[in-house]
Amino acid sequence: MKAAGRRSLIALALLCGVGFVPGALLGAVPPAFAEEAPVRVFPPGLGIGLVPPAEMVPSDRFAGFEDEARESAIILMEMPPELFAGLEKDLRDPKREPQGFELIRREPWPVEGGKGVLVEGRHDIDGKNVYKWVLARGTASAASAVTFQVSERARDIYTDDVVLRTLRSLAQRDHAGLLAELGTLPFTIDEADGKDKRPAFRISRVISGSSVMLTLGPKDLVQGAEQPVIIIGGSKAAIAGALEQDRFARQSFGSLSGVQGMQIRRGEGVTRDGVAWHEMEADAQDATTGAKVRVLQAIRFDRAQFIRFVIVARQGVWKDATAYFEHLRDTVRPRPEAAGTETRNEPE
């Protein structure tokens, strides 16, 4: 999809928001954080977060927060920084507004080192008024957007002051916060310090308790294989025996998203220091841009869990990516409380 079309869809999605089942949990009042000091919350997998109102809880339907009883929600979105200028233009264009949307105000939003725009409106959906605030922010290295939508009957709870205070709390997760999340992973990992000859890959994303993404370059949100990425994930699952490990590895490799036209170079089980591994490598294309990339998957099998590495990089930086992978392969280990006896390959 062309960038202009993608931006238009993003603008429309931000203005439309999310839907609720009429009357769901009517009357329930779950003030989950009412008695606690305000804390900025970062939805899983996102590098942005904010301080949600006391009545809202993290959503399991989308990246954000919701008060299902009052049919109100906050939706967060990250995007490549190069899309921001076009998105800002679309949000300023009345022709991009969905049917039934009545503009209340549209104004600049201050952003240090960048630009922002706030759009506020009233949206008639099936005869019901839904109030919406859409905030889009962009800098040279990051861009994000937030939709805060409030049902008419919840306006006494989510006043203008509450909404604007919430939007002002929007922030990018700092690096110290990312590193703190590493302790939740089922494996241990150290970030490169740049003091040796290895390329200085850095941690750009952590999904708490599950996985981490590292990249080589300035952008945290990588699109079109413009920067090499290494993703490491762990799971508690026993996969014993060379045949089962090979089957699992090939199925996992075939389900990789973001790449297409894979031409497999190799796929094999190996043993390193008595530990069973399986590696697969292929030439492929980035699914969005068509750029030629190389893909490597390596899985370490322990008795009670496995650790999976996926590397995607363009040919020009493949050597740097594999050099750092070799460091990770030799240093990433199951977290002691999660580790079991290592699994060795055995004949079927």
Side-chain angles (χ1 to χ4, degrees):
M1 178 181 293
K2 293 184 178 180
R6 185 179 176 190
R7 291 195 311 265
S8 296
L9 287 177
I10 291 174
L12 183 62
L14 289 169
L15 290 168
C16 287
V18 297
F20 289 87
V21 177
L25 299 180
L26 187 62
V29 181
F33 311 121
E35 301 302 323
E36 301 178 7
V39 175
R40 185 173 285 113
V41 181
F42 296 84
L46 289 187
I48 56 172
L50 49 71
V51 180
E55 293 79 12
M56 287 199 178
V57 298
S59 174
D60 58 7
R61 300 191 295 143
F62 51 83
F65 310 88
E66 61 183 326
D67 178 352
E68 193 171 2
R70 298 184 179 91
E71 299 180 345
S72 301
I74 302 171
I75 306 101
L76 286 79
M77 177 188 299
E78 288 182 288
M79 68 195 80
E82 57 268 22
L83 288 183
F84 174 76
L87 174 61
E88 181 191 25
K89 181 180 178 181
D90 287 343
L91 288 174
R92 293 182 182 278
D93 185 354
K95 295 179 181 179
R96 301 297 186 186
E97 295 168 0
Q99 184 175 0
F101 186 85
E102 177 187 348
L103 180 69
I104 295 175
R105 63 172 165 166
R106 184 186 284 114
E107 61 187 31
W109 184 273
V111 175
E112 184 177 356
K115 296 177 66 178
V117 59
L118 175 68
V119 177
E120 179 185 351
R122 185 185 300 107
H123 197 181
D124 185 326
I125 303 176
D126 297 329
K128 292 184 178 181
N129 281 328
V130 179
Y131 294 84
K132 295 181 180 177
W133 293 257
V134 175
L135 171 63
R137 313 187 326 163
T139 66
S141 60
S144 59
V146 180
T147 295
F148 198 135
Q149 68 176 55
V150 177
S151 65
E152 189 166 30
R153 63 188 179 85
R155 282 294 278 136
D156 59 335
I157 301 295
Y158 302 112
T159 63
D160 286 358
D161 286 345
V162 170
V163 171
L164 294 176
R165 184 170 65 247
T166 301
L167 295 178
R168 291 190 191 102
S169 73
L170 179 66
Q172 199 81 18
R173 188 195 295 270
D174 61 21
H175 200 64
L178 281 176
L179 296 180
E181 287 289 304
L182 296 181
T184 70
L185 299 175
F187 49 84
T188 59
I189 178 174
D190 292 321
E191 192 174 37
D193 57 17
K195 295 180 180 179
D196 54 24
K197 295 181 179 180
R198 294 193 305 270
F201 274 73
R202 62 184 181 81
I203 293 167
S204 63
R205 284 287 185 276
V206 179
I207 298 181
S208 185
S210 174
S211 59
V212 59
M213 185 178 86
L214 302 96
T215 187
L216 183 62
K219 295 183 178 180
D220 288 334
L221 187 62
V222 180
Q223 300 285 320
E226 57 191 343
Q227 296 174 184
V229 297
I230 301 175
I231 300 171
I232 311 171
S235 180
K236 292 183 179 180
I239 304 174
L243 287 180
E244 283 301 314
Q245 290 165 5
D246 183 78
R247 184 179 298 112
F248 174 80
R250 292 180 184 275
Q251 288 176 347
S252 299
F253 198 62
S255 66
L256 284 175
S257 61
V259 292
Q260 61 187 14
M262 286 203 292
Q263 300 292 320
I264 294 178
R265 284 173 164 257
R266 64 184 178 94
E268 58 188 351
V270 296
T271 301
R272 292 191 178 90
D273 297 327
V275 181
W277 286 77
H278 191 285
E279 295 183 2
M280 295 195 71
E281 186 175 345
D283 294 315
Q285 293 178 326
D286 178 77
T288 303
T289 65
K292 293 182 179 180
V293 297
R294 186 82 65 85
V295 184
L296 172 65
Q297 171 186 272
I299 305 177
R300 171 188 171 125
F301 295 98
D302 293 276
R303 181 177 296 279
Q305 73 174 90
F306 64 85
I307 303 174
R308 183 188 184 211
F309 302 75
V310 176
I311 301 94
V312 180
R314 298 192 184 194
Q315 190 65 42
V317 290
W318 183 248
K319 184 177 180 180
D320 287 340
T322 53
Y324 194 60
F325 159 68
E326 289 172 359
H327 158 69
L328 292 171
R329 181 189 64 196
D330 296 337
T331 57
V332 171
R333 292 288 184 271
R335 191 167 295 280
E337 60 267 27
T341 303
E342 295 166 343
T343 297
R344 289 172 168 74
N345 280 324
E346 299 176 354
E348 293 290 309

